[in-house]
Amino acid sequence: MSQALFHLALPVDELDAAAVFYQEVLGCKRGRESTRWIDLDFWGHQLVLHLVDAQSMPQVATNPVDDEAVPASHFGVILPWEQFDGLVQRLQQHAVEYAIAPVTRFEGRRGEQRTLFVRDPAGNYLEFKCFRNPDMLFATDGLDYP
């Protein structure tokens, strides 16, 4: 393993419905599993879905970004610019409702990026994004964000 990978565990209240979303809609491969959890290959990273009672699902606060209420608790992947449209098409084919529809943020600025938000069946927010210039992912100089 030449690059560090992340491991993320998420609560879900319906394990089968979540598995369908991640496998069939997003294309994640299924790994190890038990009756209460499933490992998934999330773009090369380990995502584990843990079954919890519905009343144990956390509430999500939001933060304003470019006039959108961005969920403060979310995760996702940063795709190459040219793969973003393919994901949008896949989501549309599966009639996935956007929490925040695909949008270009900071257009024409150094940190220009495309982003979208969806929710899995348990209500967990996922963000998928891409950068016009991937070198801007962690850039701090010359950016003019509010």
Side-chain angles (χ1 to χ4, degrees):
M1 183 169 64
S2 62
Q3 181 178 349
L5 304 175
F6 75 74
H7 160 87
L8 176 65
L10 289 180
V12 298
D13 55 355
E14 292 183 26
L15 195 56
D16 291 336
V20 167
F21 175 80
Y22 285 94
Q23 290 179 258
E24 294 181 16
V25 176
L26 296 182
C28 299
K29 292 181 183 168
R30 195 173 188 138
R32 297 171 297 153
E33 63 185 283
S34 82
T35 58
R36 304 230 13 122
W37 55 265
I38 298 172
D39 279 349
L40 296 165
D41 178 345
F42 189 81
W43 280 266
H45 303 278
Q46 185 187 37
L47 175 63
V48 184
L49 306 176
H50 285 277
L51 181 62
V52 301
D53 294 329
Q55 63 268 20
S56 297
M57 291 298 297
Q59 296 297 313
V60 177
T62 61
N63 186 36
V65 177
D66 274 1
D67 298 322
E68 297 277 7
V70 172
S73 179
H74 65 271
F75 79 103
V77 295
I78 299 167
L79 298 169
W81 190 268
E82 53 282 350
Q83 287 183 15
F84 189 84
D85 286 329
L87 175 65
V88 169
Q89 289 174 358
R90 186 177 184 112
L91 295 170
Q92 290 171 343
Q93 289 169 350
H94 289 275
V96 174
E97 187 176 319
Y98 294 111
I100 297 176
V103 64
T104 301
R105 295 196 194 287
F106 318 123
E107 193 165 1
R109 299 192 302 200
R110 292 186 62 222
E112 182 177 347
Q113 58 191 266
R114 296 173 68 199
T115 184
L116 66 85
F117 282 79
V118 296
R119 293 174 69 173
D120 72 11
N124 295 301
Y125 285 93
L126 291 84
E127 178 183 18
F128 295 93
K129 62 171 40 180
C130 60
F131 281 80
R132 170 79 62 197
N133 177 353
D135 293 338
M136 293 292 103
L137 180 61
F138 297 110
T140 59
D141 61 323
L143 302 178
D144 56 349
Y145 306 133

